[in-house]
Amino acid sequence: MTVTDPAPGGETIADRVPSGCPVVHLDASPPLEAGSHWQKANELRETSPVFFNTHAQGYWMFTRYDEVREMYQHPEIFSSESITPWEPEPVYRFVPTQIDPPEHSKYRQLVSRWFAPNAVKRIEPQAHEVARRLVTELAPRGECDVITDFAMRLPTEVFLALIGVPQADADLFVPWVEDFFAGFGGDLAQQEAMGAALGGIRQYWVDVLAARQDDTEEREHDFVSMLLHSTVDGEPLGDALILDILTVLVLAGLDTTRGQLGYLFRHLAENPADRRRLIEEPQLIPSAVEESLRLYTIIFGDGRKVAQDTEFHGCPLSKGDMVYGLVSGANRDPRVYDRPDEFIVDRRSNNHLGFAGGPHRCLGAHLARMVMKVAVEEWLAVVPDFRIASDTPLMERGGGAMMALLSLPVSWEVSA
Amino acid sequence: MKLEFDANLCRGHGRCYTLAEDLLEEDDEGYVTARGQIVDVPPDQVEDARNAAGSCPERAITILED
Ligand code: HEM
Ligand code: SF4
């Protein structure tokens, strides 16, 4: 593949690609047969640790574990001003996602307690209740689509419980999140629904804020009330920032957990031996969850913007360039993992980057883990045996956003 | 054997205190309480300690052999 001609007069980023750095043209957005994105990441990683990708304005790609971790751990070089490699000048600035250290830690400190393991443990009983209710309702049907009937509803209800708003409002959030991500991949037919969904989400939080505006005291177990009563640098946060944080949580937390659960349940449907093992040794479920985050990483790659000229593994990075760390390549890197392409239920030393690393480590990691563990426990207790009920290959949404199975039809025997 | 926890690298992934729960604890924000410290590993917890160190995505934990 070739690099496009530079604009006359101006040196483009492509002119700086050294001879040792292979050039590809890769747009990871279109939907593909499930598993294709990890296969692509494997091929790239074993071809070269760095690439120049001529997609969009052009950006560097890092394909191996060490390089991706280094990218995450060095925000002074790799800024989060943009995390989308094909969109170097975003018009939005999400908090805390796009804030760099040292400012970033002020916002993280504000919210980290709410999403810490102790806080997540508090709502674990509610997560069990939701999961049990959903599985019990589904069981007599003998079939369902895991993606729409289970994997989306569960994290949504648990998230709302943690925030301290009615769980039943999942009826609103599920379609909003579906509509938002249907349009996120760039499908023009979906743009209107996407905009309407974002509007719905924002208006929901506007109303929640308004209901708390005149409180003199902070409400217990109420995240929005906590934010209203908090300060950063001695100043209240203000409605705009609070709305921004709440919207980020919805967009970062629900579709991701659904996507990850989908791949884990596909694995369980296809691997009766692993299912058996988790039923007999339920203490291995957390380890299976971690392995699914490694092997079935929904993050194809994560972007950063170069903040200072740097030589990085042979690439002359200039301030303003975009880079793309292939998390999917890193998590199956044979330089780090034995049998990297296998699902090993009790894998040890599993240091996957599925929740990123460095200062922007996923805020919801402890919540997502708990929800996934509870989902497997409650499902297997009621539906221990199930299989994929589709004659055509499963398809996955492209890696432009986060990968996710578009549907996962499964079936099981219903005892008379 | 001892484990050394780098205070700057630890980002509260919580892999270590989940895998070596008899040895390590978390604080209210989800960081390991041993952040910036060195922890003695009793002989019966060496296996868990190695797994914890190997599972940290930040490589914040260094194993110090006796
Ligand atoms: C299995 C499910 C999940 C996966 C795989 C995942 C993955 C990630 C990744 C890779 C990042 C880093 C993005 C970057 O720095 O460019 C991230 C950040 C984030 N995640 Fe998650 N996430 C999941 C679930 C959640 C949940 C449940 C929540 C909260 C409800 C959440 C909230 C966030 C937030 C707020 C950030 C931004 C953190 C910061 O910039 O400091 N995530 N997540
Ligand atoms: S696993 Fe690593 S980053 Fe996570 S709490 Fe332990 S030392 Fe810190």
Side-chain angles (χ1 to χ4, degrees), chain A residues 103-180:
Chain A
E103 219 197 327
H104 172 257
S105 72
K106 294 178 197 166
Y107 299 103
R108 276 296 283 239
Q109 270 166 10
L110 199 64
V111 293
S112 64
R113 260 166 236 272
W114 211 274
F115 291 88
N118 284 335
V120 167
K121 261 174 229 153
R122 179 176 65 78
I123 57 150
E124 190 167 335
Q126 274 150 286
H128 276 283
E129 264 172 49
V130 179
R132 199 170 306 150
R133 190 188 76 228
L134 293 174
V135 183
T136 314
E137 279 168 15
L138 291 170
R141 285 167 42 180
E143 60 174 8
C144 80
D145 184 337
V146 175
I147 298 293
T148 47
D149 296 334
F150 183 66
M152 188 64 206
R153 183 83 199 187
L154 172 64
T156 305
E157 285 201 35
V158 178
F159 168 75
L160 296 175
L162 180 68
I163 295 300
V165 294
Q167 270 167 247
D169 289 342
D171 290 345
L172 301 167
F173 279 93
V174 168
W176 281 334
V177 172
E178 296 286 13
D179 284 350
F180 181 87

Side-chain angles (χ1 to χ4, degrees), chain A residues 72 80 83 96-98 104 108 115 159 248-249 252-254 256-257 260 293 298-299 302-304 353-356 359-365 367-368 372:
Chain A
Y72 275 136
S80 289
I83 61 167
T97 323
Q98 285 169 269
H104 172 257
R108 276 296 283 239
F115 291 88
F159 168 75
V248 167
L249 288 173
L254 308 184
T256 43
T257 311
Q260 205 64 65
L293 286 155
I298 58 166
I299 315 290
D302 211 343
R304 291 291 188 264
L353 294 169
F355 288 125
H360 293 276
R361 184 271 293 167
C362 174
L363 177 69
L367 174 62
M372 290 175 71

